[in-house]
């Protein structure tokens, strides 16, 4: 095995140890604190990594980042995931001198809300909106939304457009006005009516005689849909970390105006080996609501932060660099 291969394996192993350590710490914190605890992980400053850092390799951040004002990226996870899923992306962005902030949406990750109680997109997106509203008056961020997290990014563009410089949809539900996030997945899950009547994955948190409150795929189905190209260690991490998906937010029609959402700068990243949101469906989303630019990641499943972290990182840097 060559030196470069050993180096890559060592970095990969370090990342996995870091993620597992973080997951353990979050679990311990969730046992000790209430919902007032922080919902964010990632860098809190734009400090550079020093030479002892195994990821820095003595490199300096690219020159264009030295004077870049908009260096903060807010990472919004998709259905069932949490801030934990971005651990590779966080490490790579920090190495480049950017400031990544990963948010747990309501009822996700280590947020202590009961998933069954989350019934609207406003409730689900509250941690993201609160974060944006509390930014300094003249500060803007770049939003990155994965999968159904794209609906939260769209919601934020409508409600806090002045706080968002760019919105990046990562194989995400970039819905149009009046469309539901669920509609994007209809090809895989079937019609709404059929899903609500026949799906074996529905959760009835308020009792079998009441409407369903969420859904959760079986592990084998999740592996086939989401992780067909992801490393086994990342799949194992996901299997013990993913939580049920609140049904209300994905069934809610978004109200998006030309004056707010329509003026946002949108970018779309397509994943070309995606079985959850097929390339054809992603292509249709782009046609129906054309973004400023489209990027593609070859060989990526629905979770490029696991399967193609370096490719994703390069695209995020390129978008951050666009004037």
């Amino acid at each position: 095995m060559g030196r470069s291969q050993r180096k890559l394996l060592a970095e990969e192993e370090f990342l996995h140890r870091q993620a597992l350590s973080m997951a353990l710490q979050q679990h311990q914190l969730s046992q000790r604190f209430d919902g007032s605890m922080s919902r964010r992980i990632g860098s809190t400053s734009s400090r550079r990594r020093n030479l002892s850092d195994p990821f820095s390799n003595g490199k300096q951040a690219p020159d264009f980042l030295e004077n870049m004002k908009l260096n903060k990226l807010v990472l919004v996870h998709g259905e069932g995931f949490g801030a934990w899923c971005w651990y590779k992306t966080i490490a790579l962005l920090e190495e480049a001198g950017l400031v990544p902030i990963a948010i747990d949406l309501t009822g996700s990750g280590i947020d202590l809300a009961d998933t069954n109680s989350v019934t609207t997109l406003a409730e689900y997106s509250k941690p993201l909106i609160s974060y944006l509203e509390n930014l300094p008056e003249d500060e803007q961020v770049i939003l990155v939304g994965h999968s159904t997290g794209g609906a939260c990014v769209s919601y934020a563009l409508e409600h806090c457009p002045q706080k968002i410089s760019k919105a990046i949809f990562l194989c995400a539900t970039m819905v149009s006005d009046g469309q539901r996030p669920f509609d994007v997945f209809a090809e895989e899950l079937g019609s709404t009516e059929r899903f609500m009547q026949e799906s074996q994955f529905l959760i009835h948190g308020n009792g079998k005689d009441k409407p369903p409150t969420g859904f959760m795929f079986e592990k084998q189905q999740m592996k086939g849909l989401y992780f067909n190209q992801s490393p086994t260690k990342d799949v194992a991490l996901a299997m013990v970390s993913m939580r049920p998906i609140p049904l209300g937010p994905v069934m809610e029609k978004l109200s998006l105006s030309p004056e707010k959402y329509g003026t946002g700068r949108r970018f779309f990243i397509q994943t070309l080996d995606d079985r959850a949101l097929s390339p054809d469906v992603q292509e249709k989303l782009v046609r129906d609501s054309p973004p400023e630019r489209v990027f593609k990641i070859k060989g990526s499943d629905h979770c490029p932060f696991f399967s193609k972290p370096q490719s994703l990182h390069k695209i995020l840097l390129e978008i951050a660099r666009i004037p």
Side-chain angles (χ1 to χ4, degrees):
M1 186 181 295
R3 181 180 299 177
S4 61
Q5 288 178 301
R6 288 197 300 272
K7 182 179 174 183
L8 286 172
L9 286 173
E11 291 182 356
E12 183 81 5
E13 186 64 31
F14 181 86
L15 279 171
H16 282 293
R17 289 201 305 271
Q18 189 179 51
L20 291 170
S21 174
M22 182 177 67
L24 178 60
Q25 289 174 350
Q26 290 178 338
H27 176 73
Q28 291 170 340
L29 284 170
S30 68
Q31 303 301 310
R32 294 163 51 198
F33 297 100
D34 59 20
S36 64
M37 64 187 294
S38 172
R39 291 186 174 94
R40 299 184 294 278
I41 62 173
S43 175
T44 56
S45 73
S46 58
R47 64 186 180 279
R48 298 279 191 276
R49 293 176 175 270
N50 59 39
L51 294 180
S52 64
D53 190 305
F55 298 106
S56 68
N57 301 320
K59 295 179 182 178
Q60 294 297 316
D63 292 339
F64 79 89
L65 291 174
E66 294 289 344
N67 300 313
M68 198 171 82
K69 184 178 179 182
L70 301 172
N71 68 343
K72 188 175 288 185
L73 285 84
V74 179
L75 309 173
V76 184
H77 63 80
E79 67 283 357
F81 293 88
W84 53 267
C85 73
W86 299 103
Y87 77 94
K88 291 181 180 178
T89 304
I90 289 170
L92 291 168
L93 290 173
E94 285 185 338
E95 179 188 353
L98 294 172
V99 183
I101 303 292
I103 294 208
D104 278 322
L105 298 171
T106 307
S108 306
I110 61 169
D111 182 273
L112 298 182
D114 181 2
T115 305
N116 296 306
S117 69
V118 183
T119 59
T120 67
L121 190 58
E123 290 176 272
Y124 191 48
S125 304
K126 188 175 180 180
L128 172 60
I129 300 302
S130 296
Y131 177 79
L132 295 174
E133 290 177 341
N134 285 297
L135 286 171
E137 187 175 345
D138 61 344
E139 185 172 341
Q140 288 187 315
V141 298
I142 298 171
L143 289 190
V144 184
H146 171 242
S147 200
T148 57
C152 299
V153 170
S154 296
Y155 184 84
L157 277 171
E158 182 66 25
H159 289 82
C160 303
Q162 74 284 1
K163 294 296 183 184
I164 304 164
S165 63
K166 298 167 188 169
I168 302 172
F169 293 80
L170 176 59
C171 50
T173 51
M174 189 174 67
V175 298
S176 303
D177 178 48
Q179 193 177 18
R180 298 173 297 190
F182 182 89
D183 296 337
V184 177
F185 291 93
E187 180 181 285
E188 178 63 39
L189 300 177
S191 68
T192 305
E193 294 74 18
R194 180 182 174 187
F195 180 78
M196 295 294 283
Q197 291 173 6
E198 302 178 10
S199 177
Q200 58 184 314
F201 309 114
L202 291 173
I203 297 170
H204 293 262
N206 298 323
K208 279 289 186 182
D209 57 333
K210 300 290 177 62
T213 54
F215 63 99
M216 184 78 172
F217 296 120
E218 294 175 348
K219 288 186 177 182
Q220 284 304 119
Q221 183 150 9
M222 279 196 289
K223 289 178 181 179
L225 284 174
Y226 292 99
F227 309 118
N228 49 294
Q229 296 294 341
S230 294
T232 55
K233 291 181 180 179
D234 288 325
V235 178
L237 177 64
M239 291 300 98
V240 298
S241 303
M242 293 183 76
R243 291 177 61 180
I245 304 155
L247 191 60
V250 299
M251 291 297 184
E252 183 177 325
K253 292 182 179 180
L254 272 76
S255 179
L256 304 172
S257 67
E259 298 79 19
K260 294 182 178 180
Y261 173 83
T263 59
R265 297 184 67 186
R266 292 177 293 113
F267 300 82
F268 198 97
I269 302 176
Q270 296 180 344
T271 43
L272 301 186
D273 198 9
D274 195 325
R275 296 179 183 174
L277 198 65
S278 72
D280 288 343
V281 171
Q282 294 181 52
E283 195 65 43
K284 184 176 185 302
L285 289 173
V286 168
R287 285 198 310 269
D288 291 348
S289 182
E292 187 172 322
R293 283 187 62 181
V294 176
F295 298 82
K296 299 182 180 184
I297 304 180
K298 294 181 180 179
S300 175
D301 55 22
H302 195 56
C303 300
F305 39 75
F306 289 157
S307 59
K308 292 289 182 178
Q310 291 285 354
S311 299
L312 172 60
H313 171 64
K314 289 178 182 178
I315 292 173
L316 294 179
L317 283 184
E318 185 174 347
I319 296 174
R321 189 175 186 170
I322 296 173

